[in-house]
Every structure is written in structure tokens, then in C-alpha cells.
Amino acid sequence: IPLLPLKPLLTSGFVSPTARYARTVTTATSISAASMKELAEKVLTNPKFPPQWPYSPSDFQRSDESDDGIFYDQPRLVYHIDDSAVSALTQYYTDAFNEGEDVLDICSSWVSHFPKEWKGGNVVGLGMNEYELSQNEQLSSFVVKDLNKDPTFPFGDEEFDKVTCVVSVDYLNQPEKIFKEIARVLRPGGECIISMSNRCFPTKAFRIWLQTNDLEHIFIVGSFFHYAGQFDAATCEDISPNPGRSDPLFIVKAAKKSG
């Protein structure tokens, strides 16, 4: 099944004012890369999140609700973003990672896109396909687990300095629980780095993701951090390497509160 570029299909019931504006702006073909970057990086500046979790269970339904273990049973030793976006992500990690840090890569596979020269501490992959994980040379160890069946991470409290998730947050159908688990396993001040593009397996991406655009995705993931209640304010960086000529790439990240 190929990964397809996303296009907005419907208007979500939960859309930020910034995202409504962005939906209008991004329909114009004349928008510049600089303008897109500015819009993306402003989405989480003073966002107006509702007081309570605003999503309904139907927002996280998928068109294919069959067992994810069947879908991911066949190894896919391919990149899910293009080479330019991969290079941009690896360069981002080069600047974000410190030597010796303990890192958990969720929704992990045969490659984590970490810098080759980086020397981590305990680097753990948590994913769906055992063979893919076994081919990831950057991992110290891995765990095979379906987080859509059980969103509890099989790790103790405050075990990691970083948690990463590469272009896969849209497949996690219990994000409120997942982001609380991310906070639980992070050390105080530790950071979660979510990278996102506009490609996905559409039958396995949750409904609200398919109904919204890139800038709304930033707002949605920022809200996941917010409602977890244990993170500092999330921020976004647009690190798209060649806007209009390669896959877009956005980083939404937040640090676990220190106190």
C-alpha cells in the first residue's frame, strides 16, 4: 500500500482560528515558502485550546479498523519520507541530541534517522514489526507492542531523556493516553520530538488527521501535549528542506515540566 500525500477532505469540528486562516491561505498557489514557514511556526504561539479535551472517539476512528498487527506484519524496509526530508530530520537530531542521552523511539522501525556519529546511551525502539526493529542498528534494544491495543509503555518512570516519533503520530488512536505515557517515561526537562509530514497510509490514519491540513496537524499535536498536563508549551519548527520540491517536514516538540 503506497503512502499518499494528504489533502484536506472536510472541515473538522475542532479547528483553531489560526488553522481556519491557514486553510484559506494554503489554498492559494502564490503562498511563498517563507510565508508557510512563518504560518507554521506561529500556530502554537498563544493557541486557544478549549478547557477540556475537545475530541470525540469518532475523531480517532480509521477506515480500516482491522487488527494493526496484520497490516504491519509485512516488513517495509523503505523510507516513509523522501531523502531530502530524511536528511533534514537527521540534521535536526544532530542539533537536538546530546551524547549519552537515553532515547525512546516510538512507532519505530528499521531506521530511526538518528545521526550516525551520535553516541546515545540506552536507545530503545518501540514498534510493531519485529524484523524491522531487528534491522535498526541504532537501537540498544527494542520492544514489539501494539500501542493501539494497549497504550501503556513497558518502561519505568523517568527512564528517558528524549522520546521521538517519526511521521507516525497520526496512526495512534489513543493520543491522550499516549502523551501521558510519554510524559511518564521522560525525565524532568526531557523532550518529546514529534516529526510530521503530509504522507500516510490513509486507511490507518485517524479520521481527524485526514480531515485537516498541515497547519491544523500542528495545532492538533500541540493540543495533545497541552492536554497531557505535564509539558511546557509546545512549539513548532518548519524544517522542510525544499518547499514545493520535496516532502514538507514539521517538528512539534515540548519538554516535560521540571517541577
Side-chain angles (χ1 to χ4, degrees), residues 14 78 95 110-111 114 131 181 209 246:
F14 172 46
V78 297
D95 298 331
W110 72 284
V111 62
F114 298 158
Y131 181 76
E181 279 294 283
W209 197 266
S246 65

Side-chain angles (χ1 to χ4, degrees), residues 113-124:
H113 307 305
F114 298 158
K116 290 183 179 179
E117 66 276 11
W118 173 68
K119 299 186 185 305
N122 185 30
V123 182
V124 182

Side-chain angles (χ1 to χ4, degrees), residues 59-126:
D59 288 326
F60 301 106
Q61 291 176 345
R62 291 90 49 81
S63 63
D64 178 5
E65 289 289 2
S66 64
D67 191 330
D68 290 340
I70 298 172
F71 184 84
Y72 293 106
D73 181 64
Q74 183 66 33
R76 297 178 175 90
L77 302 184
V78 297
Y79 289 164
H80 297 302
I81 46 179
D82 65 27
D83 289 347
S84 295
V86 166
S87 295
L89 180 58
T90 300
Q91 181 57 53
Y92 181 87
Y93 285 149
T94 298
D95 298 331
F97 286 6
N98 297 311
E99 294 289 300
E101 284 190 317
D102 299 326
V103 177
L104 171 63
D105 187 32
I106 66 171
C107 305
S108 190
S109 64
W110 72 284
V111 62
S112 296
H113 307 305
F114 298 158
K116 290 183 179 179
E117 66 276 11
W118 173 68
K119 299 186 185 305
N122 185 30
V123 182
V124 182
L126 181 58

Side-chain angles (χ1 to χ4, degrees), residues 112-147:
S112 296
H113 307 305
F114 298 158
K116 290 183 179 179
E117 66 276 11
W118 173 68
K119 299 186 185 305
N122 185 30
V123 182
V124 182
L126 181 58
M128 289 286 293
N129 186 282
E130 182 175 8
Y131 181 76
E132 286 186 20
L133 292 165
S134 74
Q135 299 304 296
N136 191 328
E137 297 179 355
Q138 294 185 301
L139 302 178
S140 307
S141 62
F142 62 84
V143 177
V144 178
K145 184 170 185 181
D146 184 349
L147 292 175

Side-chain angles (χ1 to χ4, degrees), residues 7-247:
K7 296 180 180 178
L9 302 179
L10 300 170
T11 300
S12 167
F14 172 46
V15 179
S16 73
T18 301
R20 287 194 186 97
Y21 173 67
R23 182 184 294 281
T24 302
V25 171
T26 52
T27 59
T29 57
S30 60
I31 184 171
S32 69
S35 298
M36 181 63 181
K37 179 177 176 66
E38 182 180 9
L39 280 171
E41 295 184 352
K42 282 185 175 179
V43 168
L44 296 177
T45 301
N46 194 29
K48 304 300 182 185
F49 296 124
Q52 304 295 325
W53 178 258
Y55 304 105
S56 68
S58 65
D59 288 326
F60 301 106
Q61 291 176 345
R62 291 90 49 81
S63 63
D64 178 5
E65 289 289 2
S66 64
D67 191 330
D68 290 340
I70 298 172
F71 184 84
Y72 293 106
D73 181 64
Q74 183 66 33
R76 297 178 175 90
L77 302 184
V78 297
Y79 289 164
H80 297 302
I81 46 179
D82 65 27
D83 289 347
S84 295
V86 166
S87 295
L89 180 58
T90 300
Q91 181 57 53
Y92 181 87
Y93 285 149
T94 298
D95 298 331
F97 286 6
N98 297 311
E99 294 289 300
E101 284 190 317
D102 299 326
V103 177
L104 171 63
D105 187 32
I106 66 171
C107 305
S108 190
S109 64
W110 72 284
V111 62
S112 296
H113 307 305
F114 298 158
K116 290 183 179 179
E117 66 276 11
W118 173 68
K119 299 186 185 305
N122 185 30
V123 182
V124 182
L126 181 58
M128 289 286 293
N129 186 282
E130 182 175 8
Y131 181 76
E132 286 186 20
L133 292 165
S134 74
Q135 299 304 296
N136 191 328
E137 297 179 355
Q138 294 185 301
L139 302 178
S140 307
S141 62
F142 62 84
V143 177
V144 178
K145 184 170 185 181
D146 184 349
L147 292 175
N148 286 339
K149 284 186 176 179
D150 177 8
T152 305
F153 293 0
F155 310 109
D157 296 350
E158 301 181 3
E159 282 197 26
F160 298 98
D161 301 297
K162 295 280 195 304
V163 174
T164 59
C165 180
V166 178
V167 295
S168 296
V169 69
D170 48 316
Y171 304 130
L172 296 170
N173 64 9
Q174 300 183 67
E176 187 175 20
K177 294 178 179 178
I178 290 290
F179 277 71
K180 288 180 178 179
E181 279 294 283
I182 291 171
R184 181 183 66 79
V185 302
L186 276 173
R187 296 175 179 128
E191 193 171 56
C192 177
I193 301 171
I194 306 291
S195 56
M196 311 180 304
S197 188
N198 67 347
R199 292 184 175 272
C200 71
F201 297 113
T203 62
K204 285 298 185 180
F206 52 69
R207 180 171 176 261
I208 196 171
W209 197 266
L210 299 178
Q211 294 176 337
T212 48
N213 64 26
D214 288 344
L215 299 182
E216 291 168 320
H217 296 161
I218 294 166
F219 189 85
I220 289 167
V221 175
S223 79
F224 294 163
F225 281 116
H226 172 76
Y227 293 112
Q230 300 176 66
F231 291 96
D232 294 333
T235 60
C236 174
E237 294 182 49
D238 180 352
I239 63 169
S240 304
N242 302 300
R245 293 182 288 116
S246 65
D247 291 339

